[in-house]
Amino acid sequence: MNSHLDYLDGNAAAGELSRIFTMDVTAAEGQCAHCGATKRFAEAHLYMQGPGVVARCAACDHVLLRLVNVRQRVFLDVRGMTYLCLDTSQLQQSSK
Ligand SMILES: [Zn+2]
């Protein structure tokens, strides 16, 4: 391990997540299933070097979310979060 920061913040996942969620997940608040920390997803540590995206808890480094694209499918693993709380008030602003 080197001392360089090898991760981005959760905002870097906005593009990938916007392909499957209509709401902005980076603004959502999630609870880490490992340490119980509740933070905005944008604060998560994001690793994008692999075949997909891995978001880790900023407090304990536990995996919160994994997203992998395989051909025409997206695999989303969110078991690292107890919950993800989305603010639906933003839905009213994006009516078509
Ligand atoms: Zn944690």
Coordinates of all heavy atoms in Angstrom, one line a residue:
M1 N 0.8 -1.2 0.0 CA 0.0 0.0 0.0 C 0.9 1.2 0.0 O 1.8 1.3 0.7 CB -0.9 0.0 1.3 CG -1.9 -1.1 1.3 SD -3.4 -0.7 0.3 CE -4.2 0.4 1.4
N2 N 0.5 2.2 -0.8 CA 1.3 3.5 -0.8 C 0.4 4.5 -0.1 O -0.7 4.2 0.3 CB 1.6 3.9 -2.2 CG 0.4 4.1 -3.1 OD1 -0.6 4.6 -2.6 ND2 0.5 3.7 -4.3
S3 N 0.9 5.6 0.2 CA 0.2 6.6 1.0 C -0.6 7.5 0.1 O -1.3 8.4 0.6 CB 1.2 7.5 1.8 OG 2.1 8.1 0.9
H4 N -0.6 7.4 -1.2 CA -1.4 8.2 -2.1 C -2.9 7.8 -2.0 O -3.2 6.7 -1.8 CB -1.0 8.0 -3.6 CG 0.4 8.5 -3.9 ND1 0.7 9.8 -3.9 CD2 1.5 7.9 -4.1 CE1 2.0 10.0 -4.2 NE2 2.5 8.8 -4.3
L5 N -3.7 8.8 -2.1 CA -5.1 8.5 -2.2 C -5.4 7.8 -3.5 O -5.2 8.4 -4.6 CB -6.0 9.8 -2.0 CG -5.9 10.4 -0.6 CD1 -6.7 11.7 -0.6 CD2 -6.3 9.5 0.5
D6 N -5.9 6.6 -3.5 CA -6.1 5.9 -4.8 C -7.6 5.8 -5.0 O -8.1 4.9 -5.8 CB -5.5 4.5 -4.8 CG -5.9 3.7 -3.6 OD1 -6.6 4.2 -2.7 OD2 -5.6 2.5 -3.6
Y7 N -8.4 6.6 -4.4 CA -9.9 6.6 -4.6 C -10.4 8.0 -4.9 O -9.7 9.0 -4.6 CB -10.6 6.1 -3.4 CG -10.3 6.9 -2.1 CD1 -11.1 8.0 -1.8 CD2 -9.4 6.5 -1.2 CE1 -10.9 8.7 -0.7 CE2 -9.2 7.2 0.0 CZ -9.9 8.3 0.2 OH -9.7 9.0 1.4
L8 N -11.6 8.0 -5.5 CA -12.3 9.3 -5.7 C -13.4 9.4 -4.7 O -13.7 8.5 -3.9 CB -12.8 9.3 -7.1 CG -11.8 9.0 -8.2 CD1 -12.5 8.7 -9.6 CD2 -10.9 10.2 -8.4
D9 N -14.1 10.5 -4.7 CA -15.3 10.6 -3.8 C -16.5 10.0 -4.5 O -16.5 9.8 -5.7 CB -15.5 12.0 -3.2 CG -16.0 13.0 -4.1 OD1 -16.7 12.6 -5.1 OD2 -15.7 14.2 -3.9
G10 N -17.6 9.8 -3.8 CA -18.8 9.2 -4.3 C -19.4 9.9 -5.5 O -20.1 9.3 -6.3
N11 N -19.1 11.2 -5.7 CA -19.6 11.9 -6.8 C -19.2 11.3 -8.2 O -19.8 11.5 -9.2 CB -19.2 13.4 -6.8 CG -19.9 14.2 -5.7 OD1 -21.2 14.1 -5.6 ND2 -19.2 14.9 -4.8
A12 N -18.0 10.7 -8.1 CA -17.5 10.1 -9.4 C -18.4 9.0 -9.9 O -18.3 8.6 -11.1 CB -16.1 9.6 -9.1
A13 N -19.3 8.5 -9.1 CA -20.1 7.4 -9.5 C -21.4 7.9 -10.1 O -22.3 7.1 -10.6 CB -20.5 6.5 -8.3
A14 N -21.6 9.2 -10.1 CA -22.9 9.8 -10.5 C -23.3 9.4 -12.0 O -24.4 9.0 -12.2 CB -22.8 11.3 -10.5
G15 N -22.3 9.3 -12.9 CA -22.6 8.9 -14.2 C -23.1 7.5 -14.3 O -24.1 7.2 -14.9
E16 N -22.4 6.6 -13.7 CA -22.7 5.2 -13.7 C -24.1 5.0 -13.1 O -25.0 4.3 -13.6 CB -21.7 4.3 -13.0 CG -20.4 4.0 -13.8 CD -20.7 3.1 -14.9 OE1 -21.6 2.3 -14.9 OE2 -19.8 3.1 -15.9
L17 N -24.3 5.6 -11.9 CA -25.6 5.4 -11.2 C -26.8 6.0 -11.9 O -27.9 5.6 -11.8 CB -25.4 5.9 -9.8 CG -24.4 5.1 -8.9 CD1 -24.2 5.9 -7.6 CD2 -24.9 3.7 -8.6
S18 N -26.5 7.1 -12.6 CA -27.6 7.8 -13.3 C -28.2 7.0 -14.5 O -29.2 7.2 -15.0 CB -27.2 9.2 -13.8 OG -26.3 9.0 -14.9
R19 N -27.4 5.9 -14.9 CA -27.9 5.0 -15.9 C -29.0 4.1 -15.4 O -29.8 3.6 -16.2 CB -26.7 4.2 -16.5 CG -25.7 5.0 -17.2 CD -24.5 4.1 -17.6 NE -24.9 3.0 -18.4 CZ -24.3 1.9 -18.5 NH1 -23.2 1.6 -17.8 NH2 -24.7 0.9 -19.3
I20 N -29.0 3.9 -14.1 CA -30.0 2.9 -13.5 C -31.0 3.6 -12.5 O -32.0 3.0 -12.3 CB -29.3 1.7 -12.9 CG1 -28.2 2.1 -12.0 CG2 -28.8 0.8 -14.0 CD1 -27.5 0.9 -11.3
F21 N -30.6 4.7 -12.0 CA -31.5 5.4 -11.0 C -31.9 6.7 -11.6 O -31.1 7.4 -12.2 CB -30.8 5.7 -9.7 CG -30.5 4.5 -8.9 CD1 -29.2 4.0 -8.8 CD2 -31.5 3.9 -8.1 CE1 -28.9 2.8 -8.1 CE2 -31.2 2.7 -7.4 CZ -29.9 2.2 -7.4
T22 N -33.2 7.0 -11.5 CA -33.7 8.3 -12.0 C -33.3 9.4 -11.0 O -33.2 10.6 -11.4 CB -35.2 8.3 -12.2 OG1 -35.8 8.0 -11.0 CG2 -35.6 7.3 -13.3
M23 N -33.1 9.1 -9.8 CA -32.7 10.1 -8.8 C -31.2 10.1 -8.6 O -30.5 9.2 -8.9 CB -33.4 9.8 -7.5 CG -34.9 9.9 -7.6 SD -35.8 9.4 -6.0 CE -35.2 10.8 -5.0
D24 N -30.8 11.2 -8.0 CA -29.3 11.4 -7.8 C -28.9 10.7 -6.5 O -29.1 11.1 -5.4 CB -29.0 12.9 -7.7 CG -27.5 13.2 -7.4 OD1 -26.7 12.2 -7.5 OD2 -27.2 14.3 -7.2
V25 N -28.3 9.5 -6.7 CA -27.9 8.7 -5.6 C -26.8 9.3 -4.8 O -26.7 9.1 -3.6 CB -27.5 7.3 -6.1 CG1 -27.0 6.4 -4.9 CG2 -28.7 6.6 -6.7
T26 N -25.9 10.1 -5.4 CA -24.8 10.7 -4.7 C -25.3 11.7 -3.6 O -24.6 11.9 -2.6 CB -23.9 11.4 -5.6 OG1 -24.5 12.5 -6.3 CG2 -23.3 10.5 -6.7
A27 N -26.5 12.2 -3.8 CA -27.1 13.1 -2.8 C -27.8 12.3 -1.7 O -28.2 12.9 -0.6 CB -28.0 14.1 -3.4
A28 N -28.0 11.0 -1.9 CA -28.7 10.2 -0.9 C -27.9 9.9 0.3 O -26.6 10.0 0.2 CB -29.2 8.9 -1.6
E29 N -28.5 9.6 1.4 CA -27.8 9.3 2.6 C -27.9 7.8 2.9 O -29.0 7.2 2.8 CB -28.5 10.0 3.8 CG -27.6 10.2 5.0 CD -28.2 11.1 6.0 OE1 -29.1 10.7 6.7 OE2 -27.8 12.3 6.1
G30 N -26.8 7.2 3.1 CA -26.8 5.7 3.3 C -26.1 5.4 4.6 O -25.3 6.1 5.1
Q31 N -26.5 4.2 5.2 CA -25.9 3.8 6.4 C -25.1 2.6 6.2 O -25.5 1.6 5.5 CB -27.0 3.4 7.5 CG -26.4 3.0 8.8 CD -27.4 2.7 9.9 OE1 -28.2 1.8 9.6 NE2 -27.3 3.3 11.0
C32 N -23.8 2.6 6.6 CA -22.9 1.5 6.5 C -23.4 0.3 7.3 O -23.7 0.4 8.5 CB -21.5 1.9 7.0 SG -20.3 0.6 7.0
A33 N -23.5 -0.9 6.7 CA -24.0 -2.1 7.4 C -23.0 -2.6 8.4 O -23.3 -3.4 9.2 CB -24.4 -3.1 6.4
H34 N -21.7 -2.1 8.2 CA -20.6 -2.6 9.1 C -20.5 -1.8 10.3 O -20.5 -2.3 11.4 CB -19.3 -2.7 8.3 CG -18.2 -3.3 9.0 ND1 -18.1 -4.7 9.3 CD2 -17.1 -2.8 9.5 CE1 -17.0 -4.9 9.9 NE2 -16.4 -3.8 10.1
C35 N -20.3 -0.5 10.2 CA -20.0 0.4 11.4 C -21.2 1.2 11.8 O -21.1 1.9 12.8 CB -18.8 1.2 11.1 SG -19.0 2.6 10.0
G36 N -22.2 1.3 10.9 CA -23.4 2.1 11.3 C -23.3 3.6 11.0 O -24.2 4.3 11.2
A37 N -22.2 4.0 10.4 CA -22.0 5.4 10.0 C -23.0 5.8 9.0 O -23.3 5.0 8.0 CB -20.6 5.7 9.5
T38 N -23.7 7.0 9.1 CA -24.6 7.5 8.2 C -24.0 8.7 7.5 O -23.7 9.7 8.1 CB -26.0 7.8 8.9 OG1 -26.4 6.6 9.6 CG2 -27.0 8.3 7.9
K39 N -23.8 8.6 6.2 CA -23.2 9.6 5.4 C -23.9 9.8 4.1 O -24.5 8.8 3.6 CB -21.7 9.4 5.2 CG -20.9 9.4 6.5 CD -19.5 9.0 6.2 CE -18.6 9.1 7.4 NZ -18.4 10.4 7.9
R40 N -23.7 10.9 3.4 CA -24.1 11.1 2.1 C -23.2 10.2 1.2 O -22.0 10.0 1.4 CB -23.9 12.5 1.6 CG -25.0 13.4 2.2 CD -24.9 14.8 1.6 NE -24.9 14.8 0.2 CZ -24.2 15.7 -0.6 NH1 -23.6 16.7 0.0 NH2 -24.3 15.7 -1.9
F41 N -23.9 9.6 0.2 CA -23.1 8.7 -0.7 C -21.9 9.4 -1.3 O -20.9 8.8 -1.6 CB -24.0 8.1 -1.8 CG -23.4 7.0 -2.6 CD1 -23.2 5.8 -2.1 CD2 -22.8 7.3 -3.8 CE1 -22.6 4.8 -2.8 CE2 -22.2 6.4 -4.6 CZ -22.0 5.1 -4.1
A42 N -22.0 10.7 -1.6 CA -20.9 11.4 -2.2 C -19.7 11.4 -1.3 O -18.6 11.6 -1.8 CB -21.4 12.9 -2.4
E43 N -19.8 11.1 0.0 CA -18.7 11.1 0.9 C -17.9 9.7 0.8 O -16.9 9.6 1.4 CB -19.1 11.4 2.3 CG -19.7 12.8 2.5 CD -20.1 13.0 3.9 OE1 -19.3 13.0 4.8 OE2 -21.3 13.1 4.2
A44 N -18.6 8.7 0.2 CA -17.9 7.4 0.1 C -16.6 7.5 -0.7 O -16.4 8.4 -1.5 CB -18.9 6.4 -0.5
H45 N -15.7 6.5 -0.4 CA -14.5 6.4 -1.1 C -14.7 5.5 -2.3 O -15.1 4.4 -2.2 CB -13.4 5.9 -0.3 CG -13.0 6.8 0.9 ND1 -12.1 6.4 1.8 CD2 -13.4 8.0 1.1 CE1 -12.0 7.5 2.7 NE2 -12.8 8.4 2.3
L46 N -14.5 6.0 -3.5 CA -14.8 5.3 -4.7 C -13.6 4.8 -5.4 O -12.6 5.5 -5.7 CB -15.6 6.3 -5.7 CG -16.6 5.6 -6.5 CD1 -17.8 5.2 -5.7 CD2 -17.0 6.5 -7.6
Y47 N -13.6 3.5 -5.7 CA -12.5 2.9 -6.5 C -13.0 2.5 -7.8 O -13.9 1.7 -7.9 CB -12.0 1.7 -5.7 CG -11.4 2.0 -4.3 CD1 -12.3 2.2 -3.2 CD2 -10.1 2.2 -4.1 CE1 -11.8 2.6 -2.0 CE2 -9.6 2.6 -2.9 CZ -10.4 2.8 -1.8 OH -9.9 3.1 -0.6
M48 N -12.4 3.0 -8.9 CA -12.9 2.7 -10.2 C -11.8 2.0 -11.1 O -11.9 2.0 -12.3 CB -13.3 4.0 -10.9 CG -14.4 4.7 -10.0 SD -15.0 6.3 -10.8 CE -16.1 5.6 -12.0
Q49 N -10.8 1.5 -10.4 CA -9.7 0.9 -11.2 C -10.1 -0.5 -11.7 O -9.5 -1.0 -12.7 CB -8.4 0.7 -10.3 CG -7.8 2.0 -9.9 CD -8.4 2.4 -8.5 OE1 -9.5 2.1 -8.1 NE2 -7.6 3.2 -7.8
G50 N -11.0 -1.2 -11.1 CA -11.4 -2.5 -11.5 C -12.3 -2.6 -12.7 O -12.5 -1.5 -13.3
P51 N -12.9 -3.7 -12.9 CA -13.9 -3.8 -14.0 C -15.2 -3.1 -13.8 O -16.0 -2.9 -14.6 CB -14.1 -5.3 -14.1 CG -13.8 -5.8 -12.8 CD -12.7 -5.0 -12.2
G52 N -15.4 -2.6 -12.5 CA -16.6 -1.9 -12.2 C -16.3 -0.8 -11.2 O -15.2 -0.3 -11.1
V53 N -17.2 -0.5 -10.4 CA -17.1 0.6 -9.4 C -17.3 0.0 -8.0 O -18.2 -0.8 -7.8 CB -18.2 1.7 -9.6 CG1 -18.2 2.7 -8.5 CG2 -17.9 2.4 -11.0
V54 N -16.4 0.3 -7.1 CA -16.6 -0.1 -5.7 C -16.6 1.2 -4.8 O -15.7 2.0 -4.9 CB -15.4 -1.0 -5.2 CG1 -15.6 -1.4 -3.8 CG2 -15.4 -2.3 -6.1
A55 N -17.6 1.3 -4.0 CA -17.7 2.4 -3.1 C -17.5 1.9 -1.7 O -18.1 0.9 -1.3 CB -19.1 3.1 -3.1
R56 N -16.6 2.5 -0.9 CA -16.3 2.0 0.4 C -16.6 3.1 1.5 O -16.6 4.3 1.2 CB -14.8 1.7 0.6 CG -14.4 0.4 -0.2 CD -12.9 0.1 0.0 NE -12.6 -1.1 -0.6 CZ -12.6 -2.3 0.0 NH1 -13.0 -2.4 1.3 NH2 -12.3 -3.4 -0.6
C57 N -17.0 2.7 2.7 CA -17.4 3.6 3.7 C -16.2 4.5 4.1 O -15.1 4.0 4.2 CB -17.8 2.7 5.0 SG -18.1 3.7 6.4
A58 N -16.4 5.8 4.2 CA -15.4 6.7 4.5 C -14.9 6.5 6.0 O -13.8 7.0 6.3 CB -15.9 8.2 4.3
A59 N -15.7 5.9 6.8 CA -15.4 5.7 8.2 C -14.6 4.4 8.5 O -13.6 4.4 9.2 CB -16.6 5.8 9.1
C60 N -15.1 3.3 7.9 CA -14.4 2.0 8.2 C -13.9 1.3 7.0 O -13.3 0.2 7.2 CB -15.4 1.2 9.0 SG -16.7 0.4 7.9
D61 N -14.1 1.8 5.8 CA -13.6 1.2 4.6 C -14.3 -0.1 4.1 O -13.9 -0.8 3.2 CB -12.1 0.9 4.7 CG -11.3 1.3 3.4 OD1 -11.7 2.2 2.7 OD2 -10.3 0.6 3.1
H62 N -15.4 -0.4 4.8 CA -16.2 -1.5 4.4 C -16.9 -1.2 3.0 O -17.2 -0.1 2.7 CB -17.3 -1.7 5.5 CG -18.1 -2.9 5.2 ND1 -17.7 -4.2 5.5 CD2 -19.4 -3.1 4.8 CE1 -18.7 -5.1 5.2 NE2 -19.7 -4.4 4.8
V63 N -17.0 -2.3 2.2 CA -17.6 -2.1 0.9 C -19.1 -1.8 1.1 O -19.9 -2.5 1.7 CB -17.5 -3.3 0.0 CG1 -18.3 -3.2 -1.3 CG2 -16.0 -3.6 -0.3
L64 N -19.6 -0.6 0.5 CA -21.0 -0.2 0.5 C -21.7 -0.7 -0.7 O -22.9 -1.1 -0.6 CB -21.1 1.3 0.7 CG -20.5 2.0 1.9 CD1 -20.5 3.5 1.7 CD2 -21.2 1.6 3.1
L65 N -21.1 -0.5 -1.8 CA -21.8 -0.7 -3.1 C -20.8 -1.2 -4.1 O -19.6 -0.7 -4.2 CB -22.4 0.6 -3.6 CG -23.1 0.7 -5.0 CD1 -24.2 1.6 -4.9 CD2 -22.1 1.1 -6.0
R66 N -21.2 -2.1 -5.0 CA -20.4 -2.6 -6.1 C -21.3 -2.6 -7.3 O -22.4 -3.0 -7.3 CB -19.8 -4.0 -5.9 CG -18.8 -4.1 -4.7 CD -18.2 -5.4 -4.6 NE -19.2 -6.4 -4.3 CZ -19.0 -7.8 -4.4 NH1 -17.9 -8.2 -4.8 NH2 -20.0 -8.6 -4.1
L67 N -20.7 -2.1 -8.4 CA -21.5 -2.0 -9.6 C -20.6 -2.5 -10.8 O -19.5 -2.0 -10.9 CB -21.9 -0.5 -9.9 CG -22.8 -0.2 -11.1 CD1 -23.6 1.1 -10.8 CD2 -22.1 -0.1 -12.4
V68 N -21.0 -3.5 -11.5 CA -20.2 -4.1 -12.6 C -21.1 -4.2 -13.8 O -22.2 -4.6 -13.8 CB -19.7 -5.5 -12.2 CG1 -18.9 -6.0 -13.3 CG2 -18.9 -5.4 -10.9
N69 N -20.6 -3.7 -14.9 CA -21.2 -3.8 -16.2 C -20.7 -5.1 -16.9 O -19.5 -5.2 -17.1 CB -20.9 -2.6 -17.1 CG -21.5 -1.4 -16.6 OD1 -22.8 -1.2 -16.6 ND2 -20.7 -0.5 -16.1
V70 N -21.6 -6.0 -17.3 CA -21.3 -7.2 -18.0 C -22.2 -7.2 -19.2 O -23.4 -7.5 -19.1 CB -21.4 -8.5 -17.2 CG1 -21.0 -9.7 -18.0 CG2 -20.6 -8.4 -15.9
R71 N -21.6 -7.0 -20.4 CA -22.3 -6.9 -21.6 C -23.5 -6.0 -21.5 O -23.4 -4.8 -21.2 CB -22.7 -8.3 -22.1 CG -21.5 -9.2 -22.4 CD -21.9 -10.5 -23.0 NE -20.7 -11.4 -23.1 CZ -20.4 -12.3 -22.2 NH1 -21.2 -12.4 -21.2 NH2 -19.3 -13.0 -22.4
Q72 N -24.7 -6.5 -21.6 CA -25.9 -5.6 -21.6 C -26.6 -5.6 -20.2 O -27.7 -5.1 -20.0 CB -27.0 -6.1 -22.6 CG -26.5 -6.1 -24.0 CD -26.1 -4.7 -24.5 OE1 -26.9 -3.8 -24.4 NE2 -24.9 -4.6 -25.1
R73 N -25.8 -6.1 -19.2 CA -26.4 -6.1 -17.8 C -25.5 -5.3 -16.8 O -24.3 -5.3 -17.0 CB -26.5 -7.6 -17.3 CG -27.5 -8.4 -18.2 CD -27.4 -9.9 -17.8 NE -28.1 -10.7 -18.7 CZ -29.4 -11.0 -18.6 NH1 -30.0 -10.7 -17.5 NH2 -30.0 -11.8 -19.4
V74 N -26.2 -4.8 -15.8 CA -25.5 -4.2 -14.7 C -25.8 -4.9 -13.5 O -27.0 -5.2 -13.1 CB -26.1 -2.7 -14.5 CG1 -25.4 -2.1 -13.3 CG2 -25.8 -1.9 -15.8
F75 N -24.7 -5.3 -12.8 CA -24.9 -6.0 -11.5 C -24.6 -5.0 -10.4 O -23.6 -4.3 -10.4 CB -23.8 -7.2 -11.4 CG -24.1 -8.3 -12.3 CD1 -23.8 -8.3 -13.6 CD2 -24.8 -9.5 -11.8 CE1 -24.1 -9.4 -14.5 CE2 -25.1 -10.5 -12.6 CZ -24.7 -10.5 -14.0
L76 N -25.6 -4.9 -9.5 CA -25.5 -3.9 -8.4 C -25.6 -4.6 -7.1 O -26.6 -5.3 -6.8 CB -26.7 -2.9 -8.6 CG -26.7 -1.7 -7.6 CD1 -25.5 -0.8 -7.8 CD2 -28.0 -0.9 -7.8
D77 N -24.6 -4.5 -6.3 CA -24.5 -5.1 -5.0 C -24.5 -4.0 -3.9 O -23.6 -3.2 -3.8 CB -23.3 -6.0 -4.9 CG -23.0 -6.5 -3.5 OD1 -23.8 -6.2 -2.6 OD2 -22.0 -7.3 -3.3
V78 N -25.6 -3.9 -3.2 CA -25.7 -2.8 -2.2 C -25.8 -3.4 -0.8 O -26.3 -2.7 0.1 CB -26.9 -1.9 -2.5 CG1 -26.6 -1.1 -3.7 CG2 -28.2 -2.6 -2.6
R79 N -25.4 -4.6 -0.6 CA -25.6 -5.3 0.7 C -24.8 -4.6 1.8 O -25.0 -4.9 3.0 CB -25.4 -6.8 0.7 CG -23.9 -7.1 0.5 CD -23.7 -8.6 0.3 NE -22.7 -8.8 -0.8 CZ -22.2 -9.9 -1.1 NH1 -22.6 -11.0 -0.5 NH2 -21.4 -10.0 -2.1
G80 N -23.8 -3.8 1.4 CA -23.0 -3.1 2.4 C -23.6 -2.0 3.1 O -23.1 -1.4 4.0
M81 N -24.9 -1.6 2.6 CA -25.6 -0.6 3.2 C -26.9 -1.1 3.9 O -27.6 -1.9 3.3 CB -26.0 0.5 2.2 CG -24.8 1.4 1.8 SD -25.4 2.7 0.6 CE -25.4 1.8 -0.9
T82 N -27.1 -0.6 5.1 CA -28.4 -1.0 5.8 C -29.5 -0.4 5.0 O -30.6 -1.0 4.9 CB -28.3 -0.5 7.2 OG1 -27.1 -0.9 7.8 CG2 -29.5 -1.0 8.0
Y83 N -29.4 0.9 4.6 CA -30.4 1.6 3.8 C -29.8 2.7 3.0 O -28.6 3.1 3.3 CB -31.5 2.1 4.7 CG -31.1 3.2 5.6 CD1 -31.0 4.5 5.2 CD2 -30.8 2.9 7.0 CE1 -30.6 5.5 6.1 CE2 -30.4 3.9 7.8 CZ -30.3 5.2 7.4 OH -29.9 6.2 8.2
L84 N -30.5 3.1 2.0 CA -30.1 4.3 1.3 C -31.3 5.2 1.2 O -32.4 4.8 0.8 CB -29.7 3.9 -0.2 CG -29.1 4.9 -1.1 CD1 -27.8 5.5 -0.5 CD2 -28.9 4.4 -2.5
C85 N -31.2 6.4 1.8 CA -32.4 7.3 1.9 C -32.3 8.4 0.8 O -31.4 9.2 0.8 CB -32.3 7.9 3.3 SG -33.6 9.1 3.6
L86 N -33.3 8.4 0.0 CA -33.4 9.3 -1.1 C -34.4 10.4 -0.9 O -35.5 10.1 -0.4 CB -33.7 8.6 -2.5 CG -32.7 7.6 -2.9 CD1 -33.3 6.3 -3.3 CD2 -31.8 8.1 -4.0
D87 N -34.1 11.6 -1.2 CA -35.0 12.8 -1.0 C -35.9 12.9 -2.2 O -35.4 13.3 -3.3 CB -34.1 14.0 -0.8 CG -35.0 15.3 -0.6 OD1 -36.3 15.1 -0.5 OD2 -34.4 16.4 -0.5
T88 N -37.1 12.6 -2.1 CA -38.1 12.6 -3.2 C -38.5 14.0 -3.6 O -39.1 14.2 -4.7 CB -39.3 11.8 -3.0 OG1 -39.9 12.2 -1.8 CG2 -38.9 10.3 -2.8
S89 N -38.1 15.0 -2.8 CA -38.6 16.4 -3.2 C -37.9 16.8 -4.5 O -38.4 17.7 -5.2 CB -38.2 17.4 -2.1 OG -36.8 17.5 -1.9
Q90 N -36.8 16.2 -4.8 CA -36.1 16.5 -6.1 C -36.8 16.0 -7.3 O -36.6 16.5 -8.4 CB -34.6 16.1 -6.1 CG -34.5 14.5 -6.1 CD -33.0 14.1 -6.1 OE1 -32.4 14.0 -7.1 NE2 -32.5 13.8 -4.9
L91 N -37.7 15.1 -7.1 CA -38.5 14.5 -8.3 C -39.4 15.6 -8.9 O -39.7 15.6 -10.0 CB -39.3 13.3 -7.8 CG -38.6 12.0 -7.5 CD1 -39.5 11.0 -7.0 CD2 -37.8 11.5 -8.7
Q92 N -40.0 16.4 -8.0 CA -40.9 17.5 -8.5 C -40.2 18.5 -9.4 O -40.9 19.1 -10.2 CB -41.5 18.2 -7.3 CG -42.4 17.2 -6.5 CD -42.6 17.7 -5.0 OE1 -42.1 18.7 -4.6 NE2 -43.4 17.0 -4.3
Q93 N -38.9 18.6 -9.3 CA -38.2 19.6 -10.1 C -38.0 19.1 -11.5 O -37.7 19.9 -12.4 CB -36.9 20.0 -9.4 CG -37.1 20.6 -8.1 CD -35.8 20.6 -7.3 OE1 -34.8 20.2 -7.7 NE2 -35.9 21.1 -6.0
S94 N -38.0 17.7 -11.7 CA -37.6 17.2 -13.0 C -38.8 16.6 -13.7 O -38.7 15.6 -14.3 CB -36.5 16.2 -12.8 OG -37.0 15.1 -11.9
S95 N -40.0 17.2 -13.6 CA -41.1 16.7 -14.3 C -41.0 17.0 -15.8 O -40.4 18.0 -16.2 CB -42.4 17.3 -13.8 OG -42.3 18.7 -13.9
K96 N -41.5 16.1 -16.6 CA -41.3 16.3 -18.1 C -42.4 17.1 -18.7 O -43.5 17.0 -18.3 CB -41.2 14.9 -18.7 CG -39.9 14.2 -18.3 CD -39.9 12.7 -18.8 CE -38.7 12.0 -18.3 NZ -38.7 10.6 -18.7
Ligands
ZN1 ZN -18.6 1.9 7.9

